[in-house]
Amino acid sequence: MPRSNPVPDTALALTLVDPRRTWWIPDDRRLPAFEPFADDVRRHPPVTLRETVWDTEDRVLVAEGVVLARSSGGAWSVDRGAGPEVIGGGSETGAPPRDAVEVFLRGRALRVVLVRDTTTAFVTLRGTGGRVRAEVADVRVDDGDPDTGLLRSTRWWAITDDDRGGTTARAAERALDDAATEPSTAAAAPLARGPRPAAERRGERAKRPRAGSAAGFVLRALGALRADLVAVEPLVRSDEPEAVHDLRKVLRRMRSVLAAFRGALDREATESLRAALAETGRVAGVARDAEVLHDGLVRSVARSPEGYVDAATLDRIGSRTDGRRGAAAAELRQALRSDAWFRTLETLDGLLLRAPAGPHAGDDAGTFTEQRIRRERVRVARLLGRTTVDLGDLGDLGDLGGLHEIRKAARRLRYALEAAGDLQGVGRRRLGRLRRVQETLGETLDAAHAADAHRQLAGLAARSGEDTFGYGVLATTEHAALERGLRRSRKVLARL
């Protein structure tokens, strides 16, 4: 039971502990008397918190299971199903903080759809010496629809104890259980009820493909990735650590599923979505590369000979890489507020809602995924060039584009295998090897990008009349890391 209400000072001993048991109460019956079970029973005055619940005209947030609320004190919270979280970002005029839920709103206007009063009365039970043994909460929530005037009330009792299982807590629990389960008396008035605001249908849902079909498998995979996407997108908007990396991974996984399992759904629809996701992925990639470059500066210095890069040079490089990171992150946040991104989300939802069938929609899911994953393996092997290209050619520093293509193919194969889950015959035992390939090639390419970036920064420094010696040391250090990475890459690719 979330504690959003102010708590009496005398009851603070137990209020931060989750209740041990809860009873739903259908009417206005009273709490039982607790005086026979405790040395000291303190009944605290009820405390009422008023909240306004915000949503769109067509109740988009309700449909997503999300509650955006503002307390009477002006604090905003969002509840995605695991309890309310306090969020910032609202304006002084009371405008709601949209970034936390914009992934669902997509430009739609918000307004108050419910007025909610939560009234909580606490009863504290103390034993010998004044120690708090148990606490009982009587909570009533009244939801009022400002449009219709309809009211819905909910009430519950909850008990929290000191985890000692003492006689006071046990006796109070039995009394609550008896009072909550006994038939309603004539004096107990039923709670007023009315319908909750319902989400309007945002489109007609097509007939769902059968569970064991190729289309059913792809829709389940995309649905899970959609949940990951709407969870991480608000974190990017609030500039949370690693959020850009996580968003980029979700976008890549989604594109990999759409590409690897073509034919289960209508190709025109899936390719259109892939292209839209790729555009956002490109902006996210620029932001992530800027993060990696800035965060990797310490690594570059650690790899370089001690004393060769002075503090002033490090400060200048850190300032410039941080500036690049900030600009790239701002560009990504702007992209997530654009109509193009909103259309991409609508396209994804439309695909999941309508499930347009492809030529292989009705195929057996196991057979379909096995065939598609075999095709992805052939694609990786072809890029490796096992029949026509010596793996030693990867030692050519000018062929990093080919290395990048191999990494992308191995990653797509890995994501396809992970999406297949427990389906038989897809060879998940190779996942660890594919992960090592992706990590090793990624580190190698990161070193190449870092070396190139330090050379570019050296050029800027030279035009400003700065000493570029330290830049050259860092570029040379990363170039040496690139050569080591190429040797490791050759080994891991030979094991595929």
Side-chain angles (χ1 to χ4, degrees):
M1 178 183 68
R3 291 290 179 84
S4 56
N5 294 352
V7 178
D9 292 340
T10 55
L12 288 177
L14 298 178
T15 51
L16 299 182
V17 182
D18 289 334
R20 189 163 64 85
R21 190 171 174 191
T22 302
W23 296 263
W24 294 103
I25 306 303
D27 48 40
D28 283 331
R29 68 186 66 189
R30 295 181 179 181
L31 285 169
F34 299 110
E35 281 73 11
F37 317 126
D39 293 336
D40 181 14
V41 178
R42 302 185 186 181
R43 300 177 183 273
H44 305 282
V47 177
T48 299
L49 173 69
R50 168 156 288 192
E51 293 177 309
T52 52
V53 179
W54 295 62
D55 207 336
T56 63
E57 189 70 32
D58 56 352
R59 305 301 197 268
V60 168
L61 296 183
V62 169
E64 296 288 350
V66 175
V67 177
L68 178 66
R70 185 180 188 226
S71 70
S72 54
W76 289 90
S77 67
V78 62
D79 187 347
R80 298 179 178 88
E85 303 172 16
V86 176
I87 57 174
S91 72
E92 295 181 357
T93 61
R98 298 180 61 96
D99 276 352
V101 289
E102 193 67 73
V103 68
F104 304 120
L105 300 178
R106 303 167 195 173
R108 297 176 179 88
L110 280 168
R111 68 178 184 86
V112 176
V113 296
L114 277 180
V115 179
R116 173 180 294 163
D117 287 340
T118 303
T119 302
T120 306
F122 289 103
V123 181
T124 307
L125 282 62
R126 298 176 182 268
T128 305
R131 181 183 179 86
V132 176
R133 297 300 184 185
E135 181 183 82
V136 175
D138 183 355
V139 184
R140 173 167 174 154
V141 179
D142 295 317
D143 288 338
D145 188 325
D147 291 335
T148 65
L150 293 173
L151 179 70
R152 182 183 189 276
S153 296
T154 306
R155 186 181 178 210
W156 66 87
W157 295 339
I159 185 170
T160 304
D161 61 26
D162 58 2
D163 283 335
R164 294 193 175 189
T167 56
T168 298
R170 292 200 304 270
E173 181 179 350
R174 286 194 297 270
L176 287 166
D177 194 48
D178 290 342
T181 56
E182 69 182 5
S184 178
T185 64
L191 297 180
R193 294 188 179 274
R196 283 191 180 276
E200 297 180 10
R201 298 181 69 89
R202 296 173 59 187
E204 288 301 322
R205 180 179 291 273
K207 181 180 179 181
R208 310 310 292 166
R210 60 184 178 84
S213 66
F217 155 72
V218 173
L219 287 174
R220 286 196 305 275
L222 289 177
L225 290 170
R226 194 259 190 193
D228 294 339
L229 179 63
V230 299
V232 73
E233 198 254 27
L235 303 182
V236 178
R237 294 171 179 271
S238 58
D239 203 21
E240 294 291 328
E242 294 299 306
V244 174
H245 180 47
D246 291 340
L247 173 66
R248 194 183 185 193
K249 284 196 299 185
V250 173
L251 294 174
R252 283 172 165 174
R253 286 181 182 275
M254 196 170 288
R255 293 182 64 234
S256 295
V257 168
L258 291 169
F261 302 111
R262 287 186 179 101
L265 299 175
D266 177 71
R267 179 154 184 164
E268 182 178 352
T270 57
E271 290 305 298
S272 173
L273 178 57
R274 279 191 74 232
L277 293 169
E279 182 57 29
T280 305
R282 182 194 62 79
V283 183
V286 172
R288 178 57 182 169
D289 289 344
E291 282 186 347
V292 171
L293 177 63
H294 181 75
D295 296 342
L297 181 59
V298 174
R299 179 202 63 200
S300 298
V301 174
R303 287 173 172 174
S304 63
E306 185 176 356
Y308 275 64
V309 186
D310 61 87
T313 298
L314 286 178
D315 288 342
R316 288 194 297 269
I317 296 175
S319 177
R320 284 170 177 156
T321 57
D322 190 46
R324 287 186 177 184
R325 178 179 62 173
E331 183 182 355
L332 175 58
R333 289 194 294 272
Q334 187 64 31
L336 296 182
R337 297 186 180 103
S338 69
D339 290 340
W341 176 239
F342 298 156
R343 286 194 298 270
T344 300
L345 294 172
E346 293 290 348
T347 301
L348 171 60
D349 287 350
L351 187 70
L352 293 171
L353 187 70
R354 293 186 292 274
H360 297 281
D363 291 3
D364 175 73
T367 303
F368 175 78
T369 54
E370 184 177 357
Q371 292 172 346
R372 288 302 186 271
I373 287 173
R374 187 182 302 120
R375 182 178 297 178
E376 292 301 313
R377 285 200 175 95
V378 170
R379 181 169 174 267
V380 173
R382 185 169 60 249
L383 285 171
L384 281 171
R386 287 182 172 177
T387 58
T388 59
V389 178
D390 186 351
L391 284 172
D393 289 346
L394 291 174
D396 180 3
L397 298 184
D399 193 31
L400 292 178
L403 201 66
H404 181 55
E405 291 301 317
I406 292 172
R407 183 177 184 241
K408 288 198 300 183
R411 182 175 60 217
R412 194 164 98 178
L413 172 57
R414 173 191 162 196
Y415 288 165
L417 285 167
E418 289 176 341
D422 297 328
L423 292 174
Q424 299 297 319
V426 296
R428 284 174 58 85
R429 65 186 182 279
R430 303 297 186 190
L431 277 175
R433 187 168 297 176
L434 288 167
R435 189 176 294 111
R436 285 191 295 274
V437 167
Q438 186 178 342
E439 291 171 354
T440 303
L441 270 59
E443 292 170 359
T444 302
L445 293 168
D446 285 346
H449 295 152
D452 185 59
H454 288 312
R455 285 194 295 268
Q456 292 180 15
L457 290 171
L460 293 174
R463 288 193 289 274
S464 301
E466 301 171 7
D467 180 10
T468 61
F469 178 77
Y471 293 86
V473 170
L474 293 176
T476 303
T477 298
E478 290 297 335
H479 189 81
L482 166 61
E483 291 181 314
R484 292 192 298 271
L486 285 169
R487 289 193 290 271
R488 291 195 304 272
S489 298
R490 205 174 300 125
K491 291 179 180 179
V492 297
L493 290 175
R495 297 192 185 106
L496 273 182

